[in-house]
Short mmCIF file of all heavy atoms in Angstrom, two decimals:
data_model
loop_
_atom_site.label_atom_id
_atom_site.label_comp_id
_atom_site.label_asym_id
_atom_site.label_seq_id
_atom_site.Cartn_x
_atom_site.Cartn_y
_atom_site.Cartn_z
N VAL A 362 15.38 1.40 12.24
CA VAL A 362 13.89 1.89 12.05
C VAL A 362 13.55 2.93 12.99
O VAL A 362 12.93 3.94 12.62
CB VAL A 362 13.13 0.60 12.11
CG1 VAL A 362 11.60 1.03 11.89
CG2 VAL A 362 13.43 -0.49 11.14
N GLU A 363 13.87 2.76 14.36
CA GLU A 363 13.40 3.67 15.39
C GLU A 363 14.09 5.05 15.30
O GLU A 363 13.38 6.13 15.32
CB GLU A 363 13.49 3.13 16.62
CG GLU A 363 12.60 1.91 17.02
CD GLU A 363 12.94 1.42 18.46
OE1 GLU A 363 14.04 1.69 19.01
OE2 GLU A 363 11.95 0.71 18.90
N GLU A 364 15.36 5.01 15.09
CA GLU A 364 16.09 6.33 15.17
C GLU A 364 16.65 6.90 13.82
O GLU A 364 16.66 8.18 13.75
CB GLU A 364 17.40 6.02 15.96
CG GLU A 364 17.14 5.51 17.41
CD GLU A 364 18.36 5.38 18.22
OE1 GLU A 364 19.42 5.79 17.72
OE2 GLU A 364 18.42 4.75 19.25
N GLU A 365 16.71 6.09 12.82
CA GLU A 365 17.05 6.68 11.45
C GLU A 365 15.92 6.76 10.41
O GLU A 365 16.14 7.13 9.39
CB GLU A 365 18.19 5.81 11.00
CG GLU A 365 19.53 5.83 11.81
CD GLU A 365 20.69 5.21 11.09
OE1 GLU A 365 20.81 5.32 9.88
OE2 GLU A 365 21.45 4.60 11.90
N GLY A 366 14.78 6.31 10.90
CA GLY A 366 13.61 6.42 9.90
C GLY A 366 13.60 5.43 8.74
O GLY A 366 12.95 5.69 7.79
N VAL A 367 14.31 4.24 8.83
CA VAL A 367 14.34 3.22 7.76
C VAL A 367 12.93 2.60 7.84
O VAL A 367 12.50 2.27 8.89
CB VAL A 367 15.60 2.38 8.02
CG1 VAL A 367 15.52 1.17 7.03
CG2 VAL A 367 16.94 3.08 7.95
N ASP A 368 12.56 2.22 6.64
CA ASP A 368 11.28 1.52 6.56
C ASP A 368 11.51 -0.12 6.33
O ASP A 368 10.77 -0.89 6.88
CB ASP A 368 10.44 1.89 5.39
CG ASP A 368 10.09 3.38 5.42
OD1 ASP A 368 9.43 3.69 6.43
OD2 ASP A 368 10.55 4.15 4.66
N VAL A 369 12.60 -0.42 5.75
CA VAL A 369 12.85 -1.99 5.59
C VAL A 369 14.32 -2.02 5.74
O VAL A 369 15.28 -1.32 5.23
CB VAL A 369 12.43 -2.48 4.12
CG1 VAL A 369 12.94 -3.94 4.10
CG2 VAL A 369 11.06 -2.23 3.82
N VAL A 370 14.81 -3.00 6.52
CA VAL A 370 16.15 -3.40 6.51
C VAL A 370 16.45 -4.85 6.12
O VAL A 370 15.69 -5.79 6.55
CB VAL A 370 16.71 -3.39 8.16
CG1 VAL A 370 18.23 -3.69 8.13
CG2 VAL A 370 16.48 -2.03 8.77
N ASN A 371 17.24 -5.03 5.04
CA ASN A 371 17.38 -6.18 4.30
C ASN A 371 18.80 -6.67 4.82
O ASN A 371 19.76 -6.11 4.54
CB ASN A 371 17.41 -6.06 2.88
CG ASN A 371 17.55 -7.42 2.17
OD1 ASN A 371 16.97 -8.41 2.50
ND2 ASN A 371 18.15 -7.39 1.08
N CYS A 372 18.76 -7.89 5.49
CA CYS A 372 19.92 -8.38 6.00
C CYS A 372 20.68 -9.32 4.95
O CYS A 372 20.03 -10.40 4.67
CB CYS A 372 19.76 -9.21 7.27
SG CYS A 372 19.13 -8.18 8.62
N ALA A 373 21.71 -8.91 4.38
CA ALA A 373 22.18 -9.58 3.14
C ALA A 373 23.23 -10.65 3.72
O ALA A 373 24.22 -10.30 4.23
CB ALA A 373 22.90 -8.60 2.27
N ARG A 374 23.09 -11.84 3.25
CA ARG A 374 24.01 -12.88 3.66
C ARG A 374 25.13 -13.00 2.54
O ARG A 374 26.21 -13.68 2.86
CB ARG A 374 23.35 -14.32 3.61
CG ARG A 374 21.96 -14.27 4.43
CD ARG A 374 21.07 -15.53 4.00
NE ARG A 374 20.62 -15.13 2.63
CZ ARG A 374 19.76 -15.99 2.10
NH1 ARG A 374 19.59 -17.28 2.50
NH2 ARG A 374 19.25 -15.74 0.81
N THR A 375 24.93 -12.45 1.31
CA THR A 375 25.72 -12.94 0.24
C THR A 375 26.66 -11.90 -0.39
O THR A 375 26.89 -11.96 -1.64
CB THR A 375 24.82 -13.59 -0.91
OG1 THR A 375 23.77 -12.61 -1.12
CG2 THR A 375 24.23 -14.85 -0.39
N ARG A 376 27.18 -11.00 0.46
CA ARG A 376 28.12 -9.99 -0.09
C ARG A 376 29.45 -10.85 -0.52
O ARG A 376 29.99 -10.64 -1.61
CB ARG A 376 28.48 -8.97 1.06
CG ARG A 376 27.49 -8.01 1.47
CD ARG A 376 27.53 -6.80 0.65
NE ARG A 376 26.39 -5.95 0.97
CZ ARG A 376 26.44 -4.96 1.86
NH1 ARG A 376 27.59 -4.70 2.44
NH2 ARG A 376 25.37 -4.24 2.15
N THR A 377 29.69 -11.88 0.32
CA THR A 377 30.68 -12.86 0.03
C THR A 377 30.03 -14.15 0.36
O THR A 377 29.04 -14.25 1.04
CB THR A 377 31.99 -12.62 0.81
OG1 THR A 377 31.74 -12.73 2.23
CG2 THR A 377 32.73 -11.42 0.41
N ARG A 378 30.61 -15.28 -0.09
CA ARG A 378 30.05 -16.54 0.07
C ARG A 378 30.20 -16.93 1.59
O ARG A 378 31.40 -17.12 2.03
CB ARG A 378 30.55 -17.57 -0.83
CG ARG A 378 29.95 -19.06 -0.55
CD ARG A 378 30.77 -20.11 -1.22
NE ARG A 378 30.36 -21.35 -0.61
CZ ARG A 378 31.00 -22.55 -0.92
NH1 ARG A 378 32.10 -22.50 -1.59
NH2 ARG A 378 30.62 -23.64 -0.40
N PRO A 379 29.10 -17.21 2.37
CA PRO A 379 29.26 -17.73 3.70
C PRO A 379 29.69 -19.11 3.68
O PRO A 379 29.28 -19.95 2.95
CB PRO A 379 27.76 -17.57 4.30
CG PRO A 379 27.05 -16.80 3.24
CD PRO A 379 27.76 -16.93 2.04
N ALA A 380 30.54 -19.47 4.65
CA ALA A 380 31.02 -20.91 4.72
C ALA A 380 29.86 -21.84 4.98
O ALA A 380 29.90 -23.06 4.45
CB ALA A 380 31.94 -21.02 5.88
N ALA A 381 28.80 -21.38 5.64
CA ALA A 381 27.59 -22.24 5.88
C ALA A 381 26.69 -22.44 4.73
O ALA A 381 25.76 -23.21 4.81
CB ALA A 381 26.81 -21.79 7.06
N MET A 382 26.96 -21.74 3.63
CA MET A 382 26.08 -21.84 2.42
C MET A 382 26.66 -22.70 1.37
O MET A 382 27.81 -22.30 0.87
CB MET A 382 25.72 -20.35 1.94
CG MET A 382 24.66 -20.47 0.85
SD MET A 382 24.24 -18.71 0.26
CE MET A 382 23.25 -18.19 1.74
N PRO A 383 26.08 -23.69 0.86
CA PRO A 383 26.61 -24.53 -0.14
C PRO A 383 26.69 -23.58 -1.50
O PRO A 383 25.96 -22.57 -1.74
CB PRO A 383 25.48 -25.52 -0.55
CG PRO A 383 24.69 -25.63 0.78
CD PRO A 383 24.74 -24.33 1.41
N LEU A 384 27.76 -23.94 -2.25
CA LEU A 384 28.11 -23.12 -3.36
C LEU A 384 26.85 -22.96 -4.43
O LEU A 384 26.58 -21.85 -4.80
CB LEU A 384 29.25 -23.72 -4.17
CG LEU A 384 29.78 -22.88 -5.46
CD1 LEU A 384 30.07 -21.56 -5.10
CD2 LEU A 384 30.85 -23.58 -6.04
N PRO A 385 26.18 -24.01 -4.79
CA PRO A 385 25.01 -23.86 -5.67
C PRO A 385 24.00 -22.80 -5.06
O PRO A 385 23.44 -22.05 -5.84
CB PRO A 385 24.34 -25.27 -5.81
CG PRO A 385 25.55 -26.16 -5.52
CD PRO A 385 26.37 -25.50 -4.43
N ASN A 386 23.83 -22.86 -3.75
CA ASN A 386 22.78 -22.01 -3.18
C ASN A 386 23.27 -20.44 -3.35
O ASN A 386 22.48 -19.55 -3.55
CB ASN A 386 22.52 -22.29 -1.76
CG ASN A 386 21.85 -23.61 -1.40
OD1 ASN A 386 21.81 -24.44 -2.45
ND2 ASN A 386 21.17 -23.77 -0.39
N TYR A 387 24.56 -20.43 -3.04
CA TYR A 387 25.17 -18.99 -3.11
C TYR A 387 25.06 -18.45 -4.63
O TYR A 387 24.69 -17.30 -4.79
CB TYR A 387 26.61 -19.09 -2.71
CG TYR A 387 27.32 -17.76 -2.92
CD1 TYR A 387 27.16 -16.63 -2.19
CD2 TYR A 387 28.22 -17.70 -3.93
CE1 TYR A 387 27.81 -15.40 -2.39
CE2 TYR A 387 29.05 -16.54 -4.13
CZ TYR A 387 28.73 -15.43 -3.41
OH TYR A 387 29.43 -14.30 -3.64
N LEU A 388 25.48 -19.27 -5.48
CA LEU A 388 25.39 -18.85 -6.92
C LEU A 388 23.89 -18.46 -7.37
O LEU A 388 23.72 -17.59 -8.05
CB LEU A 388 26.00 -19.81 -7.80
CG LEU A 388 27.50 -20.18 -7.72
CD1 LEU A 388 27.96 -21.29 -8.59
CD2 LEU A 388 28.23 -18.96 -7.96
N ALA A 389 22.95 -19.39 -7.01
CA ALA A 389 21.59 -19.04 -7.25
C ALA A 389 21.05 -17.76 -6.72
O ALA A 389 20.50 -16.89 -7.21
CB ALA A 389 20.73 -20.19 -6.78
N ASN A 390 21.45 -17.59 -5.37
CA ASN A 390 21.02 -16.24 -4.75
C ASN A 390 21.59 -15.05 -5.47
O ASN A 390 20.97 -14.05 -5.70
CB ASN A 390 21.48 -16.29 -3.23
CG ASN A 390 20.52 -17.03 -2.42
OD1 ASN A 390 19.32 -16.42 -2.16
ND2 ASN A 390 20.79 -18.14 -1.78
#
Side-chain angles (χ1 to χ4, degrees):
V362 179
E363 289 182 339
E364 299 182 14
E365 297 190 34
V367 175
D368 297 299
V369 181
V370 183
N371 185 38
C372 297
R374 308 160 290 175
T375 52
R376 295 271 177 92
T377 58
R378 180 193 165 193
M382 183 178 289
L384 180 60
N386 292 26
Y387 171 73
L388 294 176
N390 274 291

